[in-house]
Amino acid sequence: MQFIVAIDGPAAAGKGTVARAVAAEFGFAHLDTGLLYRAVGAKAMMRGRGVIVAEIATEIAQGLTEDDLTREGLRTARVAQAASKVAALPAVRAALLDFQKAFAKREGGAVLDGRDIGTVICPEAEVKLYVTASDEVRAERRYQELKAKKPETKLETVRIDLQQRDIRDASRDVAPMRAPDDALLLDTSELSIDAAVAEAVALVTKRFEKA
Ligand code: DC
């Protein structure tokens, strides 16, 4: 049985949390596609000594391994910026396409979260969600997460990081971040995690019973 749940949205809106919960509830496999771009961005920064070179980033994306996805340090703000930059390169996105499509079509169901899942990777997904939250709520959430690992983190820096990434991710030419026309919008600004997850699970249940 194939069943695809596509979850898109900007950073720190809660899509990862919702994706993990839906995957656990239905026993589906989960792929955080942001991690692919983070892994490419982190390696490209290292190889380019802090500068991203398109050819190097493309080569890295073409040779990405599972091990690259489990390396330490992929969750920092610096790597997030690098991820957003390499994600704007068409050749990098092209190199990561087949892996994501194959993951989505695996037997037993799959949940993928990212920026272009419902629009480009899996336009045929049975369920599409677009998870958002206000800029302030997202900045505060990401600030709390990052501060736990790095106490000197500043809220203002986090706010700027998210804003820069949102603009870059939404305005690039290839696979820009946007809500698919047929997606259910889930604004988590004033929703608890449990309530957001419950809404997502209810929608998946409805579609799953029909499938
Ligand atoms: O979801 P995240 O914050 O870990 O993603 C990091 C960056 O990767 C994000 O700023 C844009 C890019 N990305 C993308 O372009 N397409 C995806 N499907 C997932 C992430």
Side-chain angles (χ1 to χ4, degrees), residues 8-9 11-12 15 32-35 37-38 75 80 83-84 87-88 93 100 113-117 121 142 165 169 172 175:
D8 291 300
K15 62 185 186 311
D32 166 4
T33 64
L35 213 49
Y37 295 94
R38 284 174 181 263
R75 295 279 168 206
S84 170
R93 303 199 76 85
Q100 295 175 81
D113 74 85
R115 304 289 188 290
D116 63 338
I117 308 304
I121 306 293
R142 186 50 50 94
R165 285 205 286 142
D169 296 344
R172 67 186 173 221

Short mmCIF file of all heavy atoms in Angstrom, two decimals, residues 8-9 11-12 15 32-35 37-38 75 80 83-84 87-88 93 100 113-117 121 142 165 169 172 175, ligand 1:
data_model
loop_
_atom_site.label_atom_id
_atom_site.label_comp_id
_atom_site.label_asym_id
_atom_site.label_seq_id
_atom_site.Cartn_x
_atom_site.Cartn_y
_atom_site.Cartn_z
N ASP A 8 4.14 20.85 4.07
CA ASP A 8 5.03 21.97 3.75
C ASP A 8 4.77 23.13 4.71
O ASP A 8 3.76 23.16 5.42
CB ASP A 8 4.79 22.44 2.30
CG ASP A 8 5.26 21.39 1.30
OD1 ASP A 8 6.45 21.07 1.32
OD2 ASP A 8 4.42 20.90 0.51
N GLY A 9 5.69 24.09 4.65
CA GLY A 9 5.52 25.30 5.46
C GLY A 9 6.87 25.90 5.80
O GLY A 9 7.91 25.27 5.57
N ALA A 11 9.97 27.61 8.20
CA ALA A 11 10.71 27.08 9.35
C ALA A 11 10.00 27.38 10.67
O ALA A 11 9.38 28.44 10.82
CB ALA A 11 12.11 27.70 9.38
N ALA A 12 10.08 26.45 11.59
CA ALA A 12 9.58 26.60 12.96
C ALA A 12 8.07 26.80 13.06
O ALA A 12 7.57 27.33 14.04
CB ALA A 12 10.33 27.72 13.69
N LYS A 15 5.86 21.98 11.42
CA LYS A 15 5.60 20.89 10.45
C LYS A 15 6.36 19.61 10.79
O LYS A 15 5.86 18.52 10.57
CB LYS A 15 5.86 21.33 9.00
CG LYS A 15 7.27 21.73 8.70
CD LYS A 15 7.35 22.25 7.28
CE LYS A 15 8.80 22.51 6.89
NZ LYS A 15 9.59 23.30 7.89
N ASP A 32 12.40 14.04 6.80
CA ASP A 32 12.53 15.48 6.99
C ASP A 32 13.44 15.95 5.85
O ASP A 32 14.66 15.81 5.92
CB ASP A 32 13.18 15.72 8.37
CG ASP A 32 13.69 17.13 8.56
OD1 ASP A 32 13.48 17.97 7.67
OD2 ASP A 32 14.31 17.38 9.61
N THR A 33 12.84 16.50 4.79
CA THR A 33 13.64 16.81 3.60
C THR A 33 14.57 18.00 3.82
O THR A 33 15.56 18.16 3.11
CB THR A 33 12.76 17.05 2.35
OG1 THR A 33 11.95 18.21 2.58
CG2 THR A 33 11.88 15.86 2.05
N GLY A 34 14.26 18.83 4.83
CA GLY A 34 15.16 19.94 5.15
C GLY A 34 16.55 19.44 5.53
O GLY A 34 17.56 20.10 5.28
N LEU A 35 16.57 18.24 6.08
CA LEU A 35 17.83 17.64 6.51
C LEU A 35 18.75 17.37 5.30
O LEU A 35 19.98 17.46 5.41
CB LEU A 35 17.52 16.32 7.23
CG LEU A 35 18.43 15.89 8.37
CD1 LEU A 35 18.67 17.00 9.37
CD2 LEU A 35 17.83 14.66 9.06
N TYR A 37 18.96 19.21 2.58
CA TYR A 37 19.57 20.49 2.20
C TYR A 37 20.54 20.96 3.28
O TYR A 37 21.56 21.57 2.97
CB TYR A 37 18.47 21.53 1.94
CG TYR A 37 17.63 21.15 0.75
CD1 TYR A 37 16.44 20.44 0.90
CD2 TYR A 37 18.07 21.42 -0.54
CE1 TYR A 37 15.70 20.04 -0.19
CE2 TYR A 37 17.33 21.02 -1.65
CZ TYR A 37 16.15 20.33 -1.46
OH TYR A 37 15.42 19.93 -2.55
N ARG A 38 20.23 20.65 4.53
CA ARG A 38 21.15 21.01 5.62
C ARG A 38 22.46 20.24 5.47
O ARG A 38 23.55 20.80 5.66
CB ARG A 38 20.52 20.72 6.99
CG ARG A 38 19.46 21.75 7.38
CD ARG A 38 18.75 21.37 8.66
NE ARG A 38 17.73 22.34 9.01
CZ ARG A 38 17.88 23.34 9.88
NH1 ARG A 38 19.01 23.48 10.54
NH2 ARG A 38 16.90 24.19 10.10
N ARG A 75 21.63 21.23 12.93
CA ARG A 75 20.47 22.03 13.37
C ARG A 75 20.82 23.47 13.72
O ARG A 75 19.99 24.18 14.27
CB ARG A 75 19.82 21.36 14.59
CG ARG A 75 19.22 20.01 14.28
CD ARG A 75 17.87 20.15 13.65
NE ARG A 75 17.38 18.92 13.09
CZ ARG A 75 16.52 18.87 12.09
NH1 ARG A 75 16.06 19.97 11.54
NH2 ARG A 75 16.10 17.73 11.62
N ALA A 80 21.41 26.24 8.72
CA ALA A 80 20.09 26.51 8.13
C ALA A 80 20.22 27.52 6.99
O ALA A 80 19.61 27.37 5.92
CB ALA A 80 19.14 27.05 9.20
N ALA A 83 21.78 25.83 4.08
CA ALA A 83 20.78 24.94 3.46
C ALA A 83 19.88 25.74 2.53
O ALA A 83 19.61 25.34 1.39
CB ALA A 83 19.95 24.26 4.54
N SER A 84 19.42 26.88 3.01
CA SER A 84 18.53 27.72 2.22
C SER A 84 19.24 28.21 0.94
O SER A 84 18.62 28.31 -0.13
CB SER A 84 18.05 28.89 3.09
OG SER A 84 17.38 29.84 2.34
N ALA A 87 19.69 25.27 -1.47
CA ALA A 87 18.36 24.85 -1.93
C ALA A 87 17.86 25.71 -3.09
O ALA A 87 16.92 25.34 -3.78
CB ALA A 87 17.37 24.91 -0.78
N ALA A 88 18.48 26.86 -3.30
CA ALA A 88 18.08 27.73 -4.42
C ALA A 88 18.80 27.35 -5.71
O ALA A 88 18.51 27.92 -6.76
CB ALA A 88 18.37 29.19 -4.06
N ARG A 93 18.80 20.76 -6.28
CA ARG A 93 17.44 20.23 -6.12
C ARG A 93 17.23 19.02 -7.04
O ARG A 93 16.65 18.02 -6.63
CB ARG A 93 16.38 21.30 -6.42
CG ARG A 93 16.48 22.54 -5.57
CD ARG A 93 15.18 23.32 -5.58
NE ARG A 93 14.17 22.70 -4.74
CZ ARG A 93 14.06 22.88 -3.43
NH1 ARG A 93 14.86 23.69 -2.80
NH2 ARG A 93 13.12 22.25 -2.75
N GLN A 100 13.90 11.54 -2.95
CA GLN A 100 12.66 11.94 -2.26
C GLN A 100 11.43 11.27 -2.87
O GLN A 100 10.54 10.80 -2.16
CB GLN A 100 12.50 13.45 -2.30
CG GLN A 100 13.58 14.20 -1.54
CD GLN A 100 13.45 15.70 -1.71
OE1 GLN A 100 12.65 16.35 -1.05
NE2 GLN A 100 14.22 16.27 -2.62
N ASP A 113 8.20 16.05 4.94
CA ASP A 113 7.97 17.47 5.22
C ASP A 113 9.08 18.31 4.63
O ASP A 113 10.22 17.88 4.52
CB ASP A 113 7.76 17.72 6.72
CG ASP A 113 9.00 17.64 7.56
OD1 ASP A 113 9.71 18.64 7.66
OD2 ASP A 113 9.26 16.56 8.13
N GLY A 114 8.68 19.51 4.16
CA GLY A 114 9.66 20.39 3.50
C GLY A 114 9.03 21.67 3.01
O GLY A 114 8.21 22.28 3.72
N ARG A 115 9.43 22.09 1.79
CA ARG A 115 8.91 23.34 1.23
C ARG A 115 8.18 23.13 -0.09
O ARG A 115 7.38 23.95 -0.50
CB ARG A 115 10.05 24.33 0.97
CG ARG A 115 10.94 24.68 2.15
CD ARG A 115 10.19 25.54 3.15
NE ARG A 115 11.06 26.04 4.21
CZ ARG A 115 11.60 25.31 5.17
NH1 ARG A 115 11.35 24.01 5.22
NH2 ARG A 115 12.37 25.87 6.09
N ASP A 116 8.52 22.02 -0.78
CA ASP A 116 8.00 21.79 -2.13
C ASP A 116 7.42 20.39 -2.27
O ASP A 116 7.36 19.85 -3.37
CB ASP A 116 9.13 21.97 -3.15
CG ASP A 116 10.24 20.93 -2.96
OD1 ASP A 116 10.36 20.38 -1.85
OD2 ASP A 116 10.97 20.65 -3.93
N ILE A 117 7.03 19.78 -1.17
CA ILE A 117 6.59 18.37 -1.23
C ILE A 117 5.25 18.26 -1.98
O ILE A 117 5.12 17.48 -2.91
CB ILE A 117 6.48 17.74 0.18
CG1 ILE A 117 7.78 17.94 0.97
CG2 ILE A 117 6.12 16.26 0.09
CD1 ILE A 117 9.03 17.41 0.31
N ILE A 121 7.52 17.54 -5.37
CA ILE A 121 7.97 16.17 -5.12
C ILE A 121 6.80 15.18 -5.25
O ILE A 121 6.92 14.16 -5.92
CB ILE A 121 8.63 16.03 -3.72
CG1 ILE A 121 9.76 17.05 -3.54
CG2 ILE A 121 9.14 14.60 -3.48
CD1 ILE A 121 10.96 16.85 -4.42
N ARG A 142 11.75 28.90 17.72
CA ARG A 142 13.10 28.51 17.29
C ARG A 142 14.14 29.04 18.28
O ARG A 142 15.13 28.38 18.57
CB ARG A 142 13.34 29.04 15.86
CG ARG A 142 14.64 28.61 15.20
CD ARG A 142 14.92 27.12 15.25
NE ARG A 142 13.86 26.25 14.81
CZ ARG A 142 13.71 25.77 13.59
NH1 ARG A 142 14.55 26.09 12.64
NH2 ARG A 142 12.72 24.95 13.31
N ARG A 165 15.54 33.51 5.44
CA ARG A 165 15.28 32.22 4.79
C ARG A 165 13.91 32.20 4.13
O ARG A 165 13.77 31.71 3.01
CB ARG A 165 15.39 31.09 5.81
CG ARG A 165 16.83 30.78 6.15
CD ARG A 165 16.98 29.37 6.62
NE ARG A 165 16.48 29.15 7.96
CZ ARG A 165 15.85 28.05 8.35
NH1 ARG A 165 15.62 27.07 7.49
NH2 ARG A 165 15.45 27.91 9.60
N ASP A 169 13.61 31.34 0.36
CA ASP A 169 12.92 30.08 0.01
C ASP A 169 11.66 30.33 -0.84
O ASP A 169 11.30 29.52 -1.68
CB ASP A 169 12.52 29.31 1.28
CG ASP A 169 13.75 28.85 2.08
OD1 ASP A 169 14.87 28.86 1.54
OD2 ASP A 169 13.58 28.52 3.28
N ARG A 172 12.83 32.01 -4.75
CA ARG A 172 13.72 31.37 -5.72
C ARG A 172 12.92 30.92 -6.95
O ARG A 172 11.70 30.70 -6.85
CB ARG A 172 14.46 30.20 -5.06
CG ARG A 172 13.56 29.08 -4.70
CD ARG A 172 14.27 27.98 -3.93
NE ARG A 172 13.31 27.02 -3.47
CZ ARG A 172 13.29 26.43 -2.27
NH1 ARG A 172 14.24 26.70 -1.39
NH2 ARG A 172 12.35 25.58 -1.96
N ALA A 175 11.14 25.50 -7.62
CA ALA A 175 10.41 24.93 -6.48
C ALA A 175 10.32 25.88 -5.28
O ALA A 175 10.71 25.52 -4.18
CB ALA A 175 11.05 23.61 -6.06
O1 DC B 1 13.01 22.61 7.11
P1 DC B 1 14.41 23.19 7.41
O2 DC B 1 14.34 24.49 8.15
O3 DC B 1 15.30 22.20 8.08
O4 DC B 1 15.05 23.48 5.96
C1 DC B 1 16.30 24.11 5.79
C2 DC B 1 16.31 24.81 4.44
O5 DC B 1 16.26 23.84 3.40
C3 DC B 1 15.15 25.75 4.18
O6 DC B 1 15.44 27.08 4.56
C4 DC B 1 14.92 25.63 2.71
C5 DC B 1 15.47 24.30 2.30
N1 DC B 1 14.46 23.30 1.97
C6 DC B 1 13.94 23.34 0.69
O7 DC B 1 14.28 24.23 -0.09
N2 DC B 1 13.07 22.38 0.28
C7 DC B 1 12.67 21.41 1.12
N3 DC B 1 11.82 20.48 0.68
C8 DC B 1 13.16 21.38 2.44
C9 DC B 1 14.04 22.36 2.85
#
